[in-house]
Amino acid sequence: MNLKILGVASSMRETSYSTHALKLALDNVKKNGAETRLLNLREIQLPMYHPEQNNSPELDKVTDHVKWADTFILASPDYHGSMSGVMKNFLDFFWSDFAGKTFGYICASHEKGLTVMDQMRTAVRQCYGWSMPYGVSVNSDQDFDKQGNMTNQKIISRIETIGRDLVVYGSIIAEQYKKDLESEESNTFAARYR
Ligand SMILES: Cc1cc2nc3c(=O)[nH]c(=O)nc-3n(C[C@H](O)[C@H](O)[C@H](O)COP(=O)(O)O)c2cc1C
């Protein structure tokens, strides 16, 4: 299958480090044979989640991206040890589309961003999505030059690894989930999504 991977950027900063790292990850995903799209929540601004007010051109555009994807990379700045508000809002809107999908995580933080990625992982698990067991954390002071280019070879290599792993594991999970949806077997978690 031709895996489709959607990168979701959730910083409002034009020169965002997390968005920069996400773009590099998507380049690597492409090199490993998957299709990619970038959804930058700075450019397509979703309204605040409201269950009864769900008509907007922005929501339609984002829905189109989400329905297209088999696999996701979520990129967030570290805001007080948690994900950005726009990322949380995105997850609130689309929780019902995440079952059987694989997720990778990127965070821009001065403190490794572990709690940020754990919180995104928790939200995804709650929606029956699968998460990569590791993420990539970037630090503006240590990993970039003054022009904003990534200079830390270790991080560049980690981004290459996640690009490769997401294509491999994302494909396996997407294929198995599709089979489970199509089969009549009732003893699978996919059965409830038929
Ligand atoms: C509201 C707010 C809260 C923040 N909280 C933290 C924090 O708890 N820990 C941390 O390491 N950095 C924190 N930062 C710094 C950002 O995570 C850091 O500047 C990051 O590089 C921003 O990512 P971006 O370049 O993708 O926007 C905070 C920044 C803002 C604006």
Side-chain angles (χ1 to χ4, degrees):
M1 75 182 283
N2 205 5
L3 194 73
K4 300 183 180 81
I5 300 194
L6 180 66
V8 183
S10 70
S11 168
M12 291 294 127
R13 291 189 337 102
E14 191 178 2
T15 55
S16 158
Y17 296 106
S18 55
T19 304
H20 183 98
L22 174 62
K23 287 178 182 169
L24 292 180
L26 290 175
D27 288 346
N28 282 290
V29 158
K30 233 187 261 173
K31 280 185 199 151
N32 284 278
E35 289 178 49
T36 62
R37 285 191 192 177
L38 173 66
L39 164 61
N40 191 339
L41 295 172
R42 179 177 188 272
E43 287 162 11
I44 305 181
Q45 293 186 9
L46 278 170
M48 278 301 285
Y49 173 69
H50 190 301
E52 283 122 45
Q53 290 165 13
N54 49 17
N55 285 324
S56 81
E58 288 78 14
L59 185 54
D60 290 347
K61 276 188 210 161
V62 178
T63 302
D64 173 64
H65 287 308
V66 170
K67 300 281 181 201
W68 170 86
D70 308 301
T71 296
F72 294 80
I73 310 178
L74 305 184
S76 177
D78 182 335
Y79 285 171
H80 311 305
S82 188
M83 70 189 94
S84 66
V86 289
M87 177 59 82
K88 181 63 170 60
N89 191 44
F90 167 78
L91 296 176
D92 292 344
F93 264 112
F94 294 102
W95 62 271
S96 64
D97 290 290
F98 297 154
K101 312 278 166 70
T102 306
F103 288 73
Y105 305 96
I106 289 173
C107 181
S109 173
H110 303 296
E111 301 165 284
K112 298 196 191 303
L114 293 177
T115 53
V116 180
M117 293 190 274
D118 273 352
Q119 288 177 31
M120 292 195 279
R121 224 177 242 122
T122 296
V124 164
R125 186 205 63 209
Q126 206 71 12
C127 307
Y128 280 77
W130 299 77
S131 286
M132 295 299 293
Y134 66 93
V136 179
S137 171
V138 295
N139 182 321
S140 58
D141 300 335
Q142 294 165 13
D143 303 328
F144 296 84
D145 64 19
K146 293 222 160 25
Q147 288 73 44
N149 303 305
M150 194 176 288
T151 49
N152 185 334
Q153 281 306 318
K154 275 194 186 155
I155 301 290
I156 292 170
S157 158
R158 211 166 156 82
I159 288 177
E160 285 168 2
T161 305
I162 205 164
R164 181 268 177 200
D165 282 350
L166 266 175
V167 175
V168 172
Y169 292 95
S171 299
I172 292 168
I173 287 172
E175 273 176 36
Q176 187 59 49
Y177 184 65
K178 190 165 173 282
K179 274 188 208 157
D180 283 349
L181 277 182
E182 287 167 359
S183 91
E184 287 174 12
E185 199 175 343
S186 58
N187 193 19
T188 71
F189 91 92
R192 63 192 272 195
Y193 295 98
R194 283 183 198 133

PDB file of all heavy atoms in Angstrom, residues 8-11 18-19 74-79 82-85 87 105-109 116 120:
ATOM      1  N   VAL A   8       1.292  17.321  11.371  1.00  0.00           N
ATOM      2  CA  VAL A   8       0.464  18.389  11.949  1.00  0.00           C
ATOM      3  C   VAL A   8       1.357  19.316  12.772  1.00  0.00           C
ATOM      4  O   VAL A   8       1.934  18.910  13.786  1.00  0.00           O
ATOM      5  CB  VAL A   8      -0.662  17.799  12.838  1.00  0.00           C
ATOM      6  CG1 VAL A   8      -1.551  18.922  13.362  1.00  0.00           C
ATOM      7  CG2 VAL A   8      -1.479  16.775  12.060  1.00  0.00           C
ATOM      8  N   ALA A   9       1.487  20.560  12.297  1.00  0.00           N
ATOM      9  CA  ALA A   9       2.300  21.558  12.996  1.00  0.00           C
ATOM     10  C   ALA A   9       1.388  22.415  13.859  1.00  0.00           C
ATOM     11  O   ALA A   9       0.305  22.819  13.414  1.00  0.00           O
ATOM     12  CB  ALA A   9       3.022  22.437  11.973  1.00  0.00           C
ATOM     13  N   SER A  10       1.843  22.722  15.073  1.00  0.00           N
ATOM     14  CA  SER A  10       0.920  23.408  15.994  1.00  0.00           C
ATOM     15  C   SER A  10       1.569  24.560  16.746  1.00  0.00           C
ATOM     16  O   SER A  10       1.165  24.874  17.863  1.00  0.00           O
ATOM     17  CB  SER A  10       0.341  22.400  16.987  1.00  0.00           C
ATOM     18  OG  SER A  10       1.330  21.970  17.891  1.00  0.00           O
ATOM     19  N   SER A  11       2.553  25.174  16.109  1.00  0.00           N
ATOM     20  CA  SER A  11       3.113  26.394  16.692  1.00  0.00           C
ATOM     21  C   SER A  11       2.584  27.579  15.905  1.00  0.00           C
ATOM     22  O   SER A  11       2.438  27.509  14.688  1.00  0.00           O
ATOM     23  CB  SER A  11       4.644  26.374  16.594  1.00  0.00           C
ATOM     24  OG  SER A  11       5.163  27.659  16.892  1.00  0.00           O
ATOM     25  N   SER A  18       9.656  23.485  16.053  1.00  0.00           N
ATOM     26  CA  SER A  18       8.953  22.191  15.932  1.00  0.00           C
ATOM     27  C   SER A  18       8.453  21.987  14.505  1.00  0.00           C
ATOM     28  O   SER A  18       8.504  20.872  13.968  1.00  0.00           O
ATOM     29  CB  SER A  18       7.799  22.098  16.944  1.00  0.00           C
ATOM     30  OG  SER A  18       6.896  23.177  16.818  1.00  0.00           O
ATOM     31  N   THR A  19       8.003  23.072  13.869  1.00  0.00           N
ATOM     32  CA  THR A  19       7.520  22.948  12.483  1.00  0.00           C
ATOM     33  C   THR A  19       8.694  22.653  11.547  1.00  0.00           C
ATOM     34  O   THR A  19       8.569  21.835  10.619  1.00  0.00           O
ATOM     35  CB  THR A  19       6.795  24.242  12.057  1.00  0.00           C
ATOM     36  OG1 THR A  19       5.740  24.487  12.991  1.00  0.00           O
ATOM     37  CG2 THR A  19       6.227  24.136  10.653  1.00  0.00           C
ATOM     38  N   LEU A  74       2.696  14.342  14.896  1.00  0.00           N
ATOM     39  CA  LEU A  74       2.219  15.530  15.620  1.00  0.00           C
ATOM     40  C   LEU A  74       3.432  16.300  16.144  1.00  0.00           C
ATOM     41  O   LEU A  74       4.286  15.728  16.839  1.00  0.00           O
ATOM     42  CB  LEU A  74       1.326  15.121  16.798  1.00  0.00           C
ATOM     43  CG  LEU A  74       0.117  14.225  16.478  1.00  0.00           C
ATOM     44  CD1 LEU A  74      -0.707  14.000  17.754  1.00  0.00           C
ATOM     45  CD2 LEU A  74      -0.742  14.808  15.368  1.00  0.00           C
ATOM     46  N   ALA A  75       3.497  17.590  15.822  1.00  0.00           N
ATOM     47  CA  ALA A  75       4.617  18.419  16.280  1.00  0.00           C
ATOM     48  C   ALA A  75       4.078  19.565  17.124  1.00  0.00           C
ATOM     49  O   ALA A  75       3.192  20.307  16.688  1.00  0.00           O
ATOM     50  CB  ALA A  75       5.387  18.971  15.087  1.00  0.00           C
ATOM     51  N   SER A  76       4.644  19.694  18.325  1.00  0.00           N
ATOM     52  CA  SER A  76       4.155  20.747  19.228  1.00  0.00           C
ATOM     53  C   SER A  76       5.311  21.440  19.943  1.00  0.00           C
ATOM     54  O   SER A  76       6.311  20.802  20.278  1.00  0.00           O
ATOM     55  CB  SER A  76       3.232  20.128  20.287  1.00  0.00           C
ATOM     56  OG  SER A  76       2.803  21.115  21.206  1.00  0.00           O
ATOM     57  N   PRO A  77       5.153  22.732  20.208  1.00  0.00           N
ATOM     58  CA  PRO A  77       6.064  23.357  21.181  1.00  0.00           C
ATOM     59  C   PRO A  77       5.720  22.872  22.583  1.00  0.00           C
ATOM     60  O   PRO A  77       4.600  22.388  22.822  1.00  0.00           O
ATOM     61  CB  PRO A  77       5.758  24.852  21.047  1.00  0.00           C
ATOM     62  CG  PRO A  77       4.443  24.960  20.372  1.00  0.00           C
ATOM     63  CD  PRO A  77       4.146  23.669  19.688  1.00  0.00           C
ATOM     64  N   ASP A  78       6.669  22.978  23.482  1.00  0.00           N
ATOM     65  CA  ASP A  78       6.432  22.683  24.900  1.00  0.00           C
ATOM     66  C   ASP A  78       5.837  23.929  25.540  1.00  0.00           C
ATOM     67  O   ASP A  78       6.503  24.959  25.654  1.00  0.00           O
ATOM     68  CB  ASP A  78       7.782  22.327  25.554  1.00  0.00           C
ATOM     69  CG  ASP A  78       7.662  21.949  27.029  1.00  0.00           C
ATOM     70  OD1 ASP A  78       6.696  22.380  27.675  1.00  0.00           O
ATOM     71  OD2 ASP A  78       8.548  21.241  27.511  1.00  0.00           O
ATOM     72  N   TYR A  79       4.580  23.855  25.932  1.00  0.00           N
ATOM     73  CA  TYR A  79       3.955  24.952  26.668  1.00  0.00           C
ATOM     74  C   TYR A  79       3.632  24.456  28.075  1.00  0.00           C
ATOM     75  O   TYR A  79       2.689  23.681  28.254  1.00  0.00           O
ATOM     76  CB  TYR A  79       2.657  25.411  25.975  1.00  0.00           C
ATOM     77  CG  TYR A  79       2.877  26.236  24.699  1.00  0.00           C
ATOM     78  CD1 TYR A  79       1.798  26.553  23.879  1.00  0.00           C
ATOM     79  CD2 TYR A  79       4.128  26.692  24.325  1.00  0.00           C
ATOM     80  CE1 TYR A  79       1.971  27.306  22.723  1.00  0.00           C
ATOM     81  CE2 TYR A  79       4.318  27.436  23.163  1.00  0.00           C
ATOM     82  CZ  TYR A  79       3.238  27.740  22.379  1.00  0.00           C
ATOM     83  OH  TYR A  79       3.417  28.471  21.229  1.00  0.00           O
ATOM     84  N   SER A  82       3.205  20.837  28.442  1.00  0.00           N
ATOM     85  CA  SER A  82       2.093  20.226  27.726  1.00  0.00           C
ATOM     86  C   SER A  82       2.129  20.646  26.254  1.00  0.00           C
ATOM     87  O   SER A  82       2.985  21.420  25.837  1.00  0.00           O
ATOM     88  CB  SER A  82       0.780  20.635  28.384  1.00  0.00           C
ATOM     89  OG  SER A  82      -0.277  19.892  27.808  1.00  0.00           O
ATOM     90  N   MET A  83       1.193  20.106  25.480  1.00  0.00           N
ATOM     91  CA  MET A  83       1.118  20.456  24.057  1.00  0.00           C
ATOM     92  C   MET A  83       0.502  21.852  23.899  1.00  0.00           C
ATOM     93  O   MET A  83      -0.110  22.389  24.831  1.00  0.00           O
ATOM     94  CB  MET A  83       0.291  19.413  23.310  1.00  0.00           C
ATOM     95  CG  MET A  83      -1.179  19.439  23.642  1.00  0.00           C
ATOM     96  SD  MET A  83      -2.089  18.040  22.959  1.00  0.00           S
ATOM     97  CE  MET A  83      -2.063  16.881  24.334  1.00  0.00           C
ATOM     98  N   SER A  84       0.633  22.421  22.708  1.00  0.00           N
ATOM     99  CA  SER A  84       0.024  23.735  22.457  1.00  0.00           C
ATOM    100  C   SER A  84      -1.505  23.609  22.464  1.00  0.00           C
ATOM    101  O   SER A  84      -2.057  22.525  22.201  1.00  0.00           O
ATOM    102  CB  SER A  84       0.495  24.287  21.113  1.00  0.00           C
ATOM    103  OG  SER A  84       0.009  23.489  20.055  1.00  0.00           O
ATOM    104  N   GLY A  85      -2.159  24.724  22.720  1.00  0.00           N
ATOM    105  CA  GLY A  85      -3.629  24.716  22.740  1.00  0.00           C
ATOM    106  C   GLY A  85      -4.212  24.318  21.393  1.00  0.00           C
ATOM    107  O   GLY A  85      -5.210  23.589  21.332  1.00  0.00           O
ATOM    108  N   MET A  87      -2.960  22.314  19.213  1.00  0.00           N
ATOM    109  CA  MET A  87      -2.841  20.857  19.015  1.00  0.00           C
ATOM    110  C   MET A  87      -3.939  20.132  19.793  1.00  0.00           C
ATOM    111  O   MET A  87      -4.584  19.216  19.284  1.00  0.00           O
ATOM    112  CB  MET A  87      -1.453  20.373  19.453  1.00  0.00           C
ATOM    113  CG  MET A  87      -1.264  18.861  19.349  1.00  0.00           C
ATOM    114  SD  MET A  87      -1.511  18.244  17.663  1.00  0.00           S
ATOM    115  CE  MET A  87       0.099  18.588  16.949  1.00  0.00           C
ATOM    116  N   TYR A 105       5.839  11.590  17.195  1.00  0.00           N
ATOM    117  CA  TYR A 105       5.783  12.860  17.921  1.00  0.00           C
ATOM    118  C   TYR A 105       7.098  13.635  17.830  1.00  0.00           C
ATOM    119  O   TYR A 105       8.182  13.057  17.910  1.00  0.00           O
ATOM    120  CB  TYR A 105       5.463  12.602  19.405  1.00  0.00           C
ATOM    121  CG  TYR A 105       4.200  11.813  19.567  1.00  0.00           C
ATOM    122  CD1 TYR A 105       4.232  10.432  19.727  1.00  0.00           C
ATOM    123  CD2 TYR A 105       2.961  12.442  19.498  1.00  0.00           C
ATOM    124  CE1 TYR A 105       3.063   9.692  19.830  1.00  0.00           C
ATOM    125  CE2 TYR A 105       1.784  11.712  19.609  1.00  0.00           C
ATOM    126  CZ  TYR A 105       1.841  10.336  19.770  1.00  0.00           C
ATOM    127  OH  TYR A 105       0.683   9.615  19.869  1.00  0.00           O
ATOM    128  N   ILE A 106       6.922  14.957  17.712  1.00  0.00           N
ATOM    129  CA  ILE A 106       8.059  15.879  17.720  1.00  0.00           C
ATOM    130  C   ILE A 106       7.708  17.003  18.687  1.00  0.00           C
ATOM    131  O   ILE A 106       6.557  17.458  18.723  1.00  0.00           O
ATOM    132  CB  ILE A 106       8.293  16.459  16.307  1.00  0.00           C
ATOM    133  CG1 ILE A 106       8.845  15.359  15.385  1.00  0.00           C
ATOM    134  CG2 ILE A 106       9.235  17.668  16.346  1.00  0.00           C
ATOM    135  CD1 ILE A 106       8.959  15.766  13.932  1.00  0.00           C
ATOM    136  N   CYS A 107       8.706  17.435  19.450  1.00  0.00           N
ATOM    137  CA  CYS A 107       8.461  18.555  20.368  1.00  0.00           C
ATOM    138  C   CYS A 107       9.648  19.514  20.364  1.00  0.00           C
ATOM    139  O   CYS A 107      10.798  19.078  20.323  1.00  0.00           O
ATOM    140  CB  CYS A 107       8.246  18.008  21.786  1.00  0.00           C
ATOM    141  SG  CYS A 107       7.913  19.322  22.961  1.00  0.00           S
ATOM    142  N   ALA A 108       9.366  20.814  20.381  1.00  0.00           N
ATOM    143  CA  ALA A 108      10.421  21.815  20.599  1.00  0.00           C
ATOM    144  C   ALA A 108      10.351  22.232  22.056  1.00  0.00           C
ATOM    145  O   ALA A 108       9.309  22.722  22.521  1.00  0.00           O
ATOM    146  CB  ALA A 108      10.207  23.023  19.691  1.00  0.00           C
ATOM    147  N   SER A 109      11.447  22.012  22.767  1.00  0.00           N
ATOM    148  CA  SER A 109      11.434  22.230  24.213  1.00  0.00           C
ATOM    149  C   SER A 109      12.842  22.546  24.693  1.00  0.00           C
ATOM    150  O   SER A 109      13.818  22.177  24.040  1.00  0.00           O
ATOM    151  CB  SER A 109      10.946  20.938  24.892  1.00  0.00           C
ATOM    152  OG  SER A 109      11.063  21.037  26.291  1.00  0.00           O
ATOM    153  N   VAL A 116       5.283  16.552  27.238  1.00  0.00           N
ATOM    154  CA  VAL A 116       4.461  17.024  26.103  1.00  0.00           C
ATOM    155  C   VAL A 116       4.096  15.837  25.213  1.00  0.00           C
ATOM    156  O   VAL A 116       2.924  15.622  24.866  1.00  0.00           O
ATOM    157  CB  VAL A 116       5.254  18.061  25.268  1.00  0.00           C
ATOM    158  CG1 VAL A 116       4.426  18.559  24.103  1.00  0.00           C
ATOM    159  CG2 VAL A 116       5.741  19.195  26.144  1.00  0.00           C
ATOM    160  N   MET A 120       0.407  13.964  24.420  1.00  0.00           N
ATOM    161  CA  MET A 120      -0.170  13.689  23.091  1.00  0.00           C
ATOM    162  C   MET A 120      -0.431  12.189  22.940  1.00  0.00           C
ATOM    163  O   MET A 120      -1.463  11.763  22.435  1.00  0.00           O
ATOM    164  CB  MET A 120       0.781  14.190  21.993  1.00  0.00           C
ATOM    165  CG  MET A 120       0.892  15.703  21.951  1.00  0.00           C
ATOM    166  SD  MET A 120       1.649  16.353  20.447  1.00  0.00           S
ATOM    167  CE  MET A 120       3.392  16.134  20.779  1.00  0.00           C
TER     168      MET A 120
END
